[in-house]
Amino acid sequence: MRFKAFNARYRLIAPFKQLRRAEEQAVEDTKLILQNAQQLKSKFGASTSWALGKRHIFLSEGIRQQLENLRAETRKKAATVIQSTWRGWRVRKRWPLRRTTLGVTSGIGQKKPQQPPTGTNTGNVQRNVTAGAGTGTGARPRPQPIAGTPPPDPSEKCADQKMIQQTCTLFGLDLERPPPVPPSRSYTVTGNTKLGYPQTRIMKMPFPEKGEGEVVLLKGETVLVVGASPRRGHLLVEHNNATLHVPYQFMELKPCNINV
């Protein structure tokens, strides 16, 4: 076995502070480990001899078994110390909660009936109650929740008429008439492109849906959109000298002949 492998396996047998832990002094560490192993009485009848080479150490079967036995005992003792330390720390950490639980459990069913205060200890009871109330530890009645404010009247949007008048004057609004609806845009936006009218579109579905009317637009038919309709969500379509208000969902843009 090489010196490095021997020291890595059996170095826990020797005193930690005496080991050098350097490759140049691996032979000295090996001798120290073997000396500590031979100081203990061998439990085996075989020979406990060993010999050092240039890079290897040669062990007899007796010394090898003794080293393995010492290594196993040392590891077992270290594991026992680690386990006992950790378990003790865990129990001490959980003990306050455990003690509280045990106290509550043992106190159930052992509550003694309270005796009415007599004339001799009435003053003591009153003083204790007063002291408890002063320190905040005594039993105090639970305060009642604060009643919520009533909900606002829907008809009263703003009580300050002067503020409303100033706002309308600032923005040029009339209290009697609502502001006019802005005119429809003279273009549409598709993606990042602004498209003007007229536009060539293709019908995605027939219009009207039931196919009834003087002018019927069939699916796949090409139509000309001349502008936005005053109806919400509709476009003005010219087809066969007739103007129709067609919802924009019924049409899609044609990839060619787009006026920008």
Side-chain angles (χ1 to χ4, degrees):
M1 181 181 293
R2 286 183 175 269
F3 293 128
K4 185 176 181 180
F6 178 85
N7 295 339
R9 183 171 181 81
Y10 300 112
R11 63 187 176 188
L12 53 87
I13 299 176
F16 180 81
K17 296 182 179 180
Q18 297 182 11
L19 293 174
R20 297 170 179 82
R21 298 177 180 272
E23 294 186 3
E24 298 80 5
Q25 298 178 345
V27 179
E28 287 76 4
D29 289 346
T30 301
K31 292 180 180 180
L32 180 62
I33 294 172
L34 292 171
Q35 290 175 3
N36 283 273
Q38 284 189 336
Q39 288 178 1
L40 301 175
K41 186 177 181 181
S42 177
K43 298 181 181 179
F44 307 97
S47 174
T48 58
S49 59
W50 49 273
L52 297 177
K54 291 184 178 181
R55 298 182 180 179
H56 296 76
I57 179 172
F58 302 93
L59 304 173
S60 64
E61 183 61 22
I63 190 65
R64 190 192 68 80
Q65 293 184 13
Q66 185 172 351
L67 288 171
E68 289 294 332
N69 186 35
L70 292 174
R71 180 175 180 271
E73 291 181 357
T74 305
R75 287 166 58 91
K76 184 177 179 181
K77 291 179 181 179
T80 303
V81 172
I82 294 173
Q83 285 286 335
S84 61
T85 304
W86 181 82
R87 291 181 181 181
W89 172 84
R90 185 184 181 189
V91 170
R92 288 191 298 271
K93 183 178 180 181
R94 300 177 61 182
W95 171 243
L97 180 61
R98 180 65 176 171
R99 181 175 56 185
T100 304
T101 306
L102 291 175
V104 172
T105 305
S106 60
I108 296 177
Q110 299 181 3
K111 188 175 181 180
K112 297 181 180 180
Q114 297 182 356
Q115 298 180 358
T118 59
T120 57
N121 57 3
T122 303
N124 296 333
V125 173
Q126 292 179 354
R127 284 195 297 271
N128 293 336
V129 172
T130 305
T135 57
T137 57
R140 301 178 61 183
R142 187 174 182 179
Q144 296 295 330
I146 301 175
T149 57
D153 189 0
S155 61
E156 297 180 2
K157 296 183 179 180
C158 183
D160 193 351
Q161 296 295 331
K162 185 177 180 180
M163 182 180 296
I164 297 176
Q165 186 67 34
Q166 291 177 355
T167 304
C168 293
T169 304
L170 179 62
F171 292 98
L173 302 177
D174 190 357
L175 290 175
E176 302 297 333
R177 292 177 297 177
V181 179
S184 300
R185 297 180 300 179
S186 59
Y187 60 90
T188 58
V189 178
T190 302
N192 296 327
T193 306
K194 180 180 178 181
L195 305 177
Y197 296 108
Q199 300 173 0
T200 302
R201 299 200 177 199
I202 300 176
M203 298 297 298
K204 295 194 297 184
M205 58 188 73
F207 178 83
E209 294 181 340
K210 297 181 180 180
E212 300 177 355
E214 297 180 359
V215 181
V216 178
L217 303 178
L218 302 178
K219 180 180 179 181
E221 191 173 0
T222 302
V223 296
L224 181 65
V225 179
V226 296
S229 171
R231 300 180 185 177
R232 186 174 182 180
H234 289 65
L235 297 174
L236 289 176
V237 176
E238 286 188 356
H239 186 72
N240 294 336
N241 298 325
T243 302
L244 305 175
H245 299 269
V246 182
Y248 71 93
Q249 298 93 339
F250 283 64
M251 300 173 289
E252 61 182 354
L253 281 171
K254 194 174 182 180
C256 59
N257 298 331
I258 296 178
N259 297 326
V260 180

